Amino acid sequence: MPAELIATHLHAGAELRRATATQCAPSIAAAAQKITDCMRAGGKLLLCGNGGSAADCQHLAAEFTSRLTAGFVRPALPALALTTDSSFLTGFVNDFKFEDIFARQVQALGKPADVLLGISTSGASPNILRAFEAAHALGMATVALTGAAGPLRDLAQICVSVPSTATALIQEIHISVGHIICHIVERGVHPPKL
């Protein structure tokens, strides 16, 4: 039984990677270009998500600010996960509505030159949707990583919509897509010297 489960999950993940490579390459490239343009112009990347997607936001913000691989030395890139300030998160949720937790931070920290990257496997998280509305009101660009459903796909200016509704598999693809975007952006902002 465990061997069958292992094989089933890994084969499903491999098939989803193939489908994502075929269907999402243009949107991945567009997302990377949008973030590259933002950072070249002095803007920053804000990231938001819930649960496993919150962890992905923190992971990716660290890759941008630190660096993706030790072999490519470059200056830090400005990226901030809106999921990390425990004092704000707990205080705001205690006094106000959870649906506005990211929108409030976007209003405080976002500028028109910035990009908001929202990660939601369902594409329907109310706090992510409200954050995108706040970003649009500020004139920020918006990029989403989602699954195959949800209104976030239409709200985002650029959406990488992984063709699945299986949360675990979508999350596995999202972190791969995030790594690809970071790889492209860091070389677009700081081209390697020949």
Side-chain angles (χ1 to χ4, degrees), residues 135-150:
H136 292 158
L138 288 171
M140 293 172 60
T142 55
V143 174
L145 305 185
T146 70

Side-chain angles (χ1 to χ4, degrees), residues 30-46 64 77-80 109-117 139-143 157-158 185 188-189:
Q33 187 62 56
K34 180 63 72 178
I35 296 167
T36 299
D37 293 344
C38 155
M39 291 186 177
R40 280 181 177 162
K44 63 186 173 295
L45 179 64
L46 302 178
F64 279 98
L77 295 171
L80 177 64
L109 302 171
K111 305 289 182 211
D114 298 339
V115 173
L116 176 65
L117 172 61
M140 293 172 60
T142 55
V143 174
Q157 292 169 330
I158 299 169
V185 171
V189 178

